[in-house]
Amino acid sequence: MRDILIRNADVVVTMDATRRELAGADVLLRGGVIAAVGQGLPALGAEVVEARGCVVTPGLVNTHHHLYQTLTRAVPGGQDALLFGWLKTLYPIWARFGPEEMFVSAQVGLAELALTGCSLSSDHLYLYPNGARLEDTIEAAATVGLRFHPTRGAMSIGESDGGLPPDSLVEREAAILEDMIRVVDAFHDATEGSMVRVGLAPCSPFSVSRDLMREAALLARDKGVMLHTHLAENDEDIAYSLAKFGVRPGQYAEDLGWTGPDVWHAHCVKLDAGEIDLFARSRTGVAHCPCSNCRLGSGIAPVRAMRDAGVPVGLGVDGSASNDAGNLINEARQALLLQRVARGADAMSAREVLEIATLGGAQVLGRGDCGALVPGKRADVAIWDVSGIEAAGSWDPVAALALCGPGRVRDLFVEGRRVVAGGQMVTVDLSTIVERQTALARKLRD
Ligand SMILES: [Zn+2]
């Protein structure tokens, strides 16, 4: 692979230890890693990518998604429902999915993320109807070219056992654990620069048993993989935990081994001070999904308090059924706005939210090798053209990324490979996958 020299960027946002921003700087990519960052780097036969008029940042990191849901965007019955009612509307539709639906919807979701600056995404796939498997999404990610952290999700408590999902969408717990072992053994790559890392992710405390939560935690530690689930998403969630388990979600998580630097929880909108302290002490991560929280009316996650306490926080677009967009740079803007609604205009700066969107997400996903433009880190780089209409007239191009735009990258490199060029996907034919997705959505609707 030829070296790539990104040259003459208006600003390179390094996210290094001192958060340096370098004006008129270059970034050299070699063999999948950042080889050098600085002014006036020699090309020495490298392919040169001009970045005048651009801001260069680490690729953004998406810490929570349900890619399959891109096939159920803006479903009428779910548009205005609260979380539990919304799930009940969508479960019967999802029950008709199979491998093709999983593959195509993942391609669409990941391409949308790529176009909005994301180089590393996790996914939480917790239903496997009609022969669908985790590898349907792993294969999709390979075609798009993003670094991918799929998680083997699960639901085991169906309607007949007092759960929320229909019985047809739940699995036996023994089969779940067996498949968790299978996918970790087959696809998890723990090495530095890995393109696929698998996590274990029972859907939520209300859709699996206490036993499965505990068993999944034991298995994850045994295999050296990460744990993920939904936690403390809204008031109903807290009430359910108190009524069913007699404890708040933080306590429930801790009791079952679901805290630690190898665990990250989605939402955490309703964490109280004691739970924030628990997460900070145990280095338990949070995937903050501001648009989803707004969309479902769940509330405002206490991100300011989490960050001040030292809780690792990343951003997540969440599933498209509850966003319904999958635009990660927009999620950064929303995170900033939402903290300000709760705490005032000085609650979160544009630079802090960019840090959460890049370095923060990488830390949450256990990727010390990603999230910063520092020699030796992986070559995951986003180039944002700030010479266009969205940022025209801005005095601070770095802050403009969160405050103005553009809402899309000009170029995106993952592991030193080009995924987006000139605002267009180069790895997949976008019109083909959109066409396939549209046809599948129509079939599900009719
Ligand atoms: Zn979710």
Side-chain angles (χ1 to χ4, degrees), residues 64-66 69 86 124 126 203 228 230 233 266-267 289 292 318-319 322:
H64 187 63
H65 208 327
H66 311 286
Q69 294 179 2
W86 164 91
H124 188 184
Y126 53 81
C203 184
H228 181 50
H230 295 100
E233 182 165 353
H267 302 306
C289 308
S292 171
D318 201 1
S322 65

Side-chain angles (χ1 to χ4, degrees), residues 213-225:
M213 292 293 287
R214 194 181 285 114
E215 289 293 325
L218 290 172
L219 179 60
R221 269 54 193 247
D222 182 49
K223 295 282 187 189
V225 301

Side-chain angles (χ1 to χ4, degrees), residues 24-57:
D26 311 335
V27 182
L28 181 66
L29 317 183
R30 175 177 296 150
V33 300
I34 309 283
V37 181
Q39 279 109 347
L41 299 179
L44 299 175
E47 178 191 342
V48 173
V49 177
E50 278 299 334
R52 203 180 296 279
C54 297
V55 173
V56 176
T57 69

Side-chain angles (χ1 to χ4, degrees), residues 101-229:
E101 283 77 8
M102 296 302 180
F103 178 83
V104 176
S105 57
Q107 279 189 316
V108 167
L110 291 167
E112 186 181 13
L113 284 170
L115 289 166
T116 58
C118 175
S119 54
L120 162 60
S121 182
S122 64
D123 186 43
H124 188 184
L125 181 56
Y126 53 81
L127 39 87
Y128 295 86
N130 307 308
R133 298 191 299 174
L134 191 66
E135 48 265 52
D136 300 326
T137 62
I138 295 173
E139 285 160 18
T143 67
V144 177
L146 291 204
R147 212 179 284 286
F148 193 43
H149 285 205
T151 60
R152 206 305 179 181
M155 297 192 293
S156 62
I157 303 179
E159 259 171 341
S160 60
D161 293 320
L164 213 53
D167 290 347
S168 65
L169 275 182
V170 304
E171 301 171 90
R172 285 183 308 105
E173 298 201 339
I176 291 167
L177 287 164
E178 210 172 282
D179 198 53
M180 284 177 167
I181 293 169
R182 181 187 71 83
V183 293
V184 169
D185 289 348
F187 303 108
H188 180 68
D189 175 5
T191 62
E192 192 158 318
S194 162
M195 292 298 288
V196 178
R197 286 195 189 163
V198 177
L200 306 183
C203 184
S204 66
F206 56 80
S207 54
V208 300
S209 75
R210 197 186 290 255
D211 278 351
L212 187 72
M213 292 293 287
R214 194 181 285 114
E215 289 293 325
L218 290 172
L219 179 60
R221 269 54 193 247
D222 182 49
K223 295 282 187 189
V225 301
M226 292 188 73
L227 287 165
H228 181 50
T229 193

Side-chain angles (χ1 to χ4, degrees), residues 274-295:
E275 289 168 316
I276 291 171
D277 182 54
L278 166 68
F279 276 40
R281 277 186 285 113
S282 57
R283 304 293 297 157
T284 306
V286 169
H288 173 46
C289 308
C291 286
S292 171
N293 298 158
C294 290
R295 162 79 163 76

